[in-house]
Amino acid sequence: MMRIDQPKWVLHYNFPDYMSNMTQQPPLTDTHTLHLHHKNRRTPDGMFLQQEAFDEISERLLGVKKSFTKTAVVTSWPDLWAHIVEGADVIHPDDTLRFADNGYDLIVHAMDLHWANDPVGQIVQCRNALKPDGLFLAACFGGQTLNELRSAIAEAESRVMGGLSPRVVPMGEVRDYGALLQRAGLALPVADTLTLPVSYSDTTALMIDLRKMGESNALTARTKKPTPKSVFDALETVYRQNFSDGERLIATFEIIFLAGWVPDASQQKPLKPGSAKMKLTDALRIPDGPKD
């Protein structure tokens, strides 16, 4: 049985404009397996992290002083996310997003961006479907997710098999995702993270939870052969030695939240350099320095 511990927040704003390394990689995800097999095995009790993300996005929307008249949500979890805004169009997260038209004033990309073969392409498509001053919001798993499992399975597989195989999808860091917002042409970009430590009785319980979440291994390069039991035995030993609180195993899940606006003349603009009317030392009432 799992248990969620107190979440930890990390905030990041206004990132430099550079391309995430993950967009340079060849396609990683076997989308057929992901959507037709793994996603269809999800269960209601495996939706607790989806619910955390849903509640957080809902709270942020309450703080936006703007009325939305036409909304789309990009998700493979329609039972939950279709209700983020009443009457929202639900778009399946295919490589090509099939929006009804380009007149949306809100698009939410909900918990699928980490599986996208082209994350920036997904954001660009959303941006193009938004009208000026339209809002893009996203939630997805970030790079700290399952860092304990990555480390433990790598050591266990090396011990038993003498090598490694792809097990966990590479996920972007918050700064990478923040940069993608700017690459996509969105203004006022913001990215922040919510870290959720979850505890489990053993690694089997963790694996079962991942299956219930629909987040099992869907990498194209994953091994198709059955994993020997000796690897899972070694995994349990390594995980318990390095990532437990003495009784239960700890698994980290990081949810990254993104926000950006389609540029519009009504939005705030940064002041031009040198346009300040007062020196900082005067504003803070700090003496300029010792005088002769």
Side-chain angles (χ1 to χ4, degrees):
M1 181 178 293
M2 61 81 188
R3 182 177 66 220
I4 298 181
D5 298 323
Q6 186 68 27
K8 302 175 183 177
W9 282 96
V10 180
L11 300 179
H12 300 266
Y13 294 92
N14 298 326
F15 304 108
D17 186 16
Y18 63 91
M19 176 67 78
S20 168
N21 289 333
M22 61 187 169
T23 62
Q24 304 301 315
Q25 301 297 323
L28 295 176
T29 302
D30 179 350
T31 54
H32 176 83
T33 295
L34 176 67
H35 294 297
L36 295 184
H37 296 285
H38 294 348
K39 299 291 186 184
N40 285 336
R41 292 191 302 200
R42 62 183 182 268
T43 61
D45 59 338
M47 295 291 288
F48 62 98
L49 293 174
Q50 293 279 340
Q51 189 65 55
E52 288 278 348
F54 180 91
D55 292 344
E56 184 63 34
I57 292 287
S58 297
E59 184 175 341
R60 293 174 187 222
L61 283 173
L62 290 175
V64 177
K65 297 179 179 178
K66 178 181 175 69
S67 297
F68 299 107
T69 59
K70 189 170 185 180
T71 302
V73 56
V74 180
T75 187
S76 54
W77 318 94
D79 293 346
L80 174 64
W81 286 95
H83 306 291
I84 193 70
V85 174
E86 196 65 33
D89 292 343
V90 177
I91 312 298
H92 193 269
D94 296 317
D95 290 340
T96 299
L97 302 176
R98 294 172 175 82
F99 292 108
D101 55 45
N102 296 337
Y104 295 99
D105 49 16
L106 171 65
I107 294 178
V108 179
H109 204 300
M111 296 300 285
D112 278 291
L113 201 57
H114 56 282
W115 281 112
N117 285 317
D118 181 12
V120 71
Q122 292 279 301
I123 300 175
V124 167
Q125 290 179 74
C126 292
R127 184 243 186 268
N128 290 341
L130 286 163
K131 60 186 181 182
D133 203 36
L135 175 61
F136 171 78
L137 295 175
C140 62
F141 285 123
Q144 295 305 306
T145 298
L146 298 176
N147 66 81
E148 301 90 352
L149 179 60
R150 295 172 195 268
S151 176
I153 193 66
E155 183 173 343
E157 201 168 21
S158 294
R159 287 183 185 180
V160 176
M161 307 292 290
L164 305 178
S165 59
R167 297 281 182 177
V168 182
V169 62
M171 302 177 204
E173 299 296 333
V174 65
R175 293 186 180 276
D176 294 328
Y177 279 115
L180 295 189
L181 294 174
Q182 293 183 319
R183 285 299 282 194
L186 292 167
L188 308 174
V190 175
D192 59 83
T193 71
L194 173 62
T195 303
L196 292 164
V198 183
S199 60
Y200 291 93
S201 57
D202 51 38
T203 53
T204 300
L206 171 57
M207 298 297 183
I208 291 173
D209 237 13
L210 292 176
R211 175 173 293 191
K212 290 179 177 180
M213 294 177 195
E215 297 289 343
S216 300
N217 187 359
L219 292 170
T220 301
R222 71 192 184 281
T223 179
K224 307 301 193 294
K225 298 178 181 179
T227 301
K229 181 179 181 298
S230 55
V231 172
F232 291 113
D233 292 340
L235 170 63
E236 178 71 22
T237 299
V238 173
Y239 207 122
R240 194 165 294 280
Q241 287 175 344
N242 295 281
F243 307 110
S244 75
D245 60 7
E247 296 183 1
R248 298 176 64 85
L249 308 183
I250 305 301
T252 298
F253 292 90
E254 178 189 38
I255 303 177
I256 293 178
F257 296 94
L258 305 173
W261 296 81
V262 176
D264 184 73
S266 65
Q267 294 168 355
Q268 292 181 335
K269 302 292 190 302
L271 294 175
K272 294 181 179 180
S275 62
K277 307 244 187 262
M278 180 183 294
K279 293 193 302 182
L280 180 60
T281 53
D282 293 338
L284 298 178
R285 298 181 180 178
I286 299 174
D288 287 336
K291 296 183 179 180
D292 295 335

